[in-house]
Amino acid sequence: MAALVAENFRFLSLFFKSKDVMIFNGLVALGTVGSEELFSVVAFNCPCSPARNYIYGLAAIGVPALALFLIGVIWNNHTWNLVAECHKRGIKNFSAAATFLLFGSIMGRAAVAPVTWSVISLLRGEAYICALSEFVRPSSLDKFPAEYGAEVLARFPCKDVPANLTKFRDEVTRRLRYESQLFGWLLIGIVAVLVFLTKCLKHCCSPLSYRQEAYWAQYRSNEDKLFRRTAEVHSRILAAKNVKHFFGFVALDKEEKELVQEFPVEGVQPSPQWNAITGVYIYRENKGFPLYSRLHKWAKGVEGNGPSPEGHEMLFLAS
């Protein structure tokens, strides 16, 4: 158990440090696998009761998947950029294709963890067996005693059955596990095909060359990294100035004193500037020159949010 907890903490550390989309999705999948294993060992306990098995089995698969999906939506920056966009500017400047790309990006990224959870649950089979054991038709079992019905079948996952039904329990468990794993492998195949087709469609429809798209990804990563680092320093220096103004002095360590001396901060950015760099951004060009982000667009002094004779929307969303 200690090793499992350590692995989860290591996963979380890598999760928050990762910037690459493929690494990000891979870490989400690995973390989901570990969480599902922990859930199966610690929490899953089939009630082995008619009418309860079905609800509990489906809940064991569906509820965590739903929770993971919502967490994925919450953790996606595109979600809050969309909220800011709707709040500040509305989505009237977005075409149908751009809106589809945006929601597809949010839903696709958020679906990694729930799909992984569902696949692992189906491959393990416990939840599926628990949910459907009572619905196995006794007539499909050779020489199954007529005096037993759904109530006994519901107890098969718990192995709490009369001795003369042991072979039937093994057969039902084997049959349901086969079905569960078959659905799991089919789900893996369907998801793999969808991911492949989506990647092909994205690159075929992209207005950018492969190298420019790679450069754009590097720019976004560097801009976000530098913005966060600079914002942290700026806010610290501004806070130090305000604390000093209130108390007459401020207790700074050596590193903070060097920051205050090296980077003079006069004030804060006005709200219109924050609004200009916040929200959804879809690749645009102005007079043939690329604009890689809202911050880039603001720095170049390009006005407006929608298409214009000098700047047009290219219908390509950052992944």
Side-chain angles (χ1 to χ4, degrees):
M1 183 62 68
L4 184 59
V5 172
E7 286 298 321
N8 277 294
F9 275 106
R10 190 176 298 113
F11 156 74
L12 289 174
S13 175
L14 292 172
F15 179 90
F16 288 110
K17 290 179 181 178
S18 174
K19 299 298 182 183
D20 184 81
V21 172
M22 295 302 294
I23 296 177
F24 178 92
N25 291 341
L27 291 174
V28 170
L30 289 175
T32 305
V33 171
S35 299
E36 204 280 338
E37 290 291 334
L38 179 63
F39 173 82
S40 297
V41 172
V42 177
F44 187 81
N45 187 17
C46 184
C48 293
S49 173
R52 295 180 181 178
N53 283 14
Y54 184 69
I55 296 175
Y56 185 82
L58 292 184
I61 299 175
V63 173
L66 176 61
L68 289 170
F69 177 78
L70 294 177
I71 291 173
V73 172
I74 292 172
W75 279 357
N76 194 326
N77 289 334
H78 286 323
T79 302
W80 306 114
N81 285 334
L82 177 62
V83 172
E85 187 75 20
C86 294
H87 178 66
K88 297 296 182 181
R89 289 173 286 268
I91 58 173
K92 58 182 180 296
N93 294 313
F94 283 172
S95 64
T99 303
F100 176 79
L101 282 172
L102 177 61
F103 279 99
S105 174
I106 294 174
M107 299 297 109
R109 186 79 61 82
V112 173
V115 168
T116 303
W117 178 279
S118 300
V119 166
I120 298 301
S121 297
L122 289 172
L123 292 180
R124 289 181 60 88
E126 282 86 350
Y128 188 90
I129 294 171
C130 177
L132 297 182
S133 62
E134 64 182 286
F135 297 105
V136 174
R137 291 184 296 108
S139 59
S140 66
L141 302 173
D142 186 32
K143 298 180 180 179
F144 187 81
E147 64 269 21
Y148 297 114
E151 184 175 351
V152 172
L153 290 170
R155 297 206 306 269
F156 277 12
C158 297
K159 302 180 180 180
D160 179 22
V161 296
N164 62 326
L165 297 182
T166 301
K167 66 175 183 178
F168 297 107
R169 176 183 58 79
D170 294 340
E171 180 180 350
V172 168
T173 301
R174 183 170 55 252
R175 183 188 302 179
L176 293 178
R177 192 179 301 277
Y178 153 77
E179 293 178 1
S180 179
Q181 293 183 347
L182 176 62
F183 290 140
W185 291 121
L186 288 175
L187 182 58
I188 291 176
I190 292 172
V191 170
V193 171
L194 289 177
V195 170
F196 172 75
L197 294 178
T198 301
K199 295 293 288 186
C200 291
L201 182 63
K202 174 186 174 183
H203 288 291
C204 289
C205 298
S206 171
L208 308 179
S209 66
Y210 175 78
R211 291 186 180 276
Q212 188 179 9
E213 186 178 339
Y215 178 85
W216 185 24
Q218 292 174 343
Y219 173 85
R220 291 196 316 270
S221 176
N222 289 325
E223 182 190 81
D224 182 68
K225 187 187 304 180
L226 291 171
F227 188 91
R228 290 176 182 274
R229 188 188 306 165
T230 304
E232 196 277 333
V233 173
H234 186 282
S235 62
R236 187 186 303 182
I237 296 174
L238 181 63
K241 290 181 62 176
N242 292 334
V243 172
K244 182 177 180 180
H245 183 73
F246 184 82
F247 287 107
F249 73 96
V250 59
L252 300 175
D253 58 28
K254 182 179 179 180
E255 180 185 356
E256 291 170 335
K257 289 179 180 178
E258 293 175 352
L259 289 176
V260 171
Q261 293 174 359
E262 185 176 359
F263 304 111
V265 173
E266 301 299 331
V268 296
Q269 286 64 34
S271 293
Q273 289 187 9
W274 286 104
N275 293 336
I277 66 171
T278 302
V280 176
Y281 185 76
I282 296 177
Y283 180 79
R284 291 179 173 87
E285 292 183 357
N286 181 258
K287 298 180 180 179
F289 291 93
L291 300 173
Y292 290 123
S293 69
R294 283 197 170 276
L295 181 60
H296 188 190
K297 180 180 176 182
W298 173 85
K300 289 295 184 180
V302 179
E303 299 293 337
N305 190 47
S308 67
E310 296 182 348
H312 57 281
E313 179 182 306
M314 299 295 288
L315 303 181
F316 192 58
L317 182 69
S319 58

